[in-house]
């Protein structure tokens, strides 16, 4: 039986590339490259509950488990960091760490929606209306995300994407390949791209092998 629960990280995978998400979630395929390795190293430092600290101005909690079990969401996951300003639950801020800032823009939309999905869970667990930022390690810079300003728009998108993901999971169907700018940096490229290549003649392959032997 397919569970309706969806991991927050899975939302980001789906928005990055539905076909890649299908390979991960349905075909159970996996591959790593330098970008995945950099992200793993960064998050191994962040996802450490012992790294939590407090100061006079804020408290920082790392690797916080959150969820939202409302039927329209059924989300769960772990936030990199949650900051609490002062002693008020209303002043919570999610900090999502990314190794590299995208070129010519402040953030990728799939990363924004990952943090929005986290917000849906954090707000539910802590009864708050939190903010969210992306922290880019390469430039040591935070980018505040417009989660509150565009809440209704992002909420509609999230619910729509979750419904799509659940339908595909129930059908066991991997979305079609859609080649885009994400392909060049994708760790699954070698698994995915052969399907985009033109069919190779078996006769031609044999002729090339015989020519090499001569």
């Amino acid at each position: 039986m397919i569970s309706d629960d969806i991991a927050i990280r899975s939302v980001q995978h789906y928005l990055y590339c539905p076909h890649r998400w299908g390979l991960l979630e349905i075909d159970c395929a996996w591959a790593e490259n330098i970008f995945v390795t950099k992200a793993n190293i960064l998050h191994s430092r962040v996802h450490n509950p012992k790294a939590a600290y407090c100061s006079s101005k804020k408290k920082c909690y790392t690797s916080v488990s959150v969820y939202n079990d409302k039927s329209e969401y059924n989300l769960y996951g772990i936030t990199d960091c949650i900051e609490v300003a002062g002693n008020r639950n209303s002043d919570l801020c999610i900090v999502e760490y990314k190794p590299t800032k995208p070129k010519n823009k402040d953030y990728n939309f799939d990363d924004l929606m990952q943090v929005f999905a986290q917000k849906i869970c954090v707000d539910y667990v802590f009864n708050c209306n939190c903010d969210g930022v992306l922290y880019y390690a390469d430039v040591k810079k935070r980018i505040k995300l417009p989660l509150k300003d565009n809440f209704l728009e992002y909420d509609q998108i999230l619910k729509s994407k979750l419904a799509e993901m659940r339908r595909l999971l129930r059908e066991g169907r991997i979305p079609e390949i859609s080649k885009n700018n994400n392909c060049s940096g994708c760790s699954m490229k070698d698994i995915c791209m052969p399907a985009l290549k033109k069919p190779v003649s078996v006769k031609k392959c044999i002729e090339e092998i015989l020519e090499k032997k001569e």
Side-chain angles (χ1 to χ4, degrees):
M1 181 177 179
I2 302 296
S3 172
D4 275 345
D5 298 339
I6 289 181
I8 292 171
R9 67 177 181 276
S10 189
V11 175
Q12 191 270 338
H13 288 316
Y14 186 77
L15 287 166
Y16 180 83
C17 173
H19 183 73
R20 183 180 191 273
W21 167 84
L23 292 175
L24 292 169
E25 297 291 335
I26 298 173
D27 210 31
C28 296
W30 179 247
E32 295 191 6
N33 61 8
I34 187 171
F35 302 110
V36 174
T37 301
K38 286 171 66 177
N40 288 341
I41 292 172
L42 174 63
H43 285 89
S44 68
R45 298 170 183 169
V46 177
H47 285 179
N48 177 10
K50 295 180 180 179
Y53 68 90
C54 300
S55 69
S56 59
K57 294 184 178 180
K58 64 182 177 181
K59 300 174 183 178
C60 299
Y61 301 94
T62 59
S63 192
V64 181
S65 297
V66 293
Y67 72 96
N68 188 318
D69 59 4
K70 290 184 178 180
S71 59
E72 63 265 40
Y73 299 116
N74 271 332
L75 282 166
Y76 70 94
I78 297 176
T79 64
D80 287 344
C81 176
I82 295 179
E83 295 180 345
V84 184
N87 296 314
R88 297 185 300 171
N89 250 16
S90 58
D91 292 330
L92 268 61
C93 182
I94 300 165
V95 183
E96 173 67 23
Y97 289 77
K98 297 295 179 183
T100 308
K101 185 180 183 300
K103 295 179 180 180
N104 304 320
K105 55 183 176 180
D106 287 337
Y107 51 79
N108 293 318
F109 185 70
D110 51 291
D111 293 335
L112 177 147
M113 288 302 298
Q114 178 187 4
V115 180
F116 182 78
Q118 292 175 2
K119 172 179 169 59
I120 290 296
C121 294
V122 171
D123 286 353
Y124 180 76
V125 171
F126 297 103
N127 189 28
C128 63
N129 184 17
C130 67
D131 289 307
V133 301
L134 288 168
Y135 175 81
Y136 294 111
D138 61 333
V139 294
K140 294 180 172 60
K141 184 178 180 180
R142 288 186 176 205
I143 300 294
K144 186 175 180 179
L145 302 172
L147 305 181
K148 294 180 180 178
D149 294 340
N150 301 314
F151 182 90
L152 293 178
E153 176 189 350
Y154 298 157
D155 191 48
Q156 185 176 3
I157 292 172
L158 177 61
K159 290 175 181 176
S160 173
K161 297 303 178 182
L162 289 172
E164 289 177 14
M165 293 162 71
R166 289 190 175 101
R167 184 178 68 253
L168 290 166
L169 287 170
R170 291 191 186 102
E171 295 173 356
R173 180 164 58 87
I174 297 175
E176 296 295 325
I177 295 173
S178 179
K179 193 172 181 180
N180 56 51
N181 292 334
N182 292 332
C183 294
S184 59
C186 179
S187 64
M188 306 286 284
K189 182 178 179 180
D190 290 340
I191 298 174
C192 171
M193 286 306 183
L196 292 178
K197 294 179 180 178
K198 294 180 179 179
V200 178
S201 166
V202 175
K203 180 181 177 182
K204 186 175 181 181
C205 288
I206 294 174
E207 290 175 349
E208 289 178 352
I209 293 172
L210 293 175
E211 287 177 2
K212 289 179 181 178
K213 287 185 177 181
E214 292 176 358

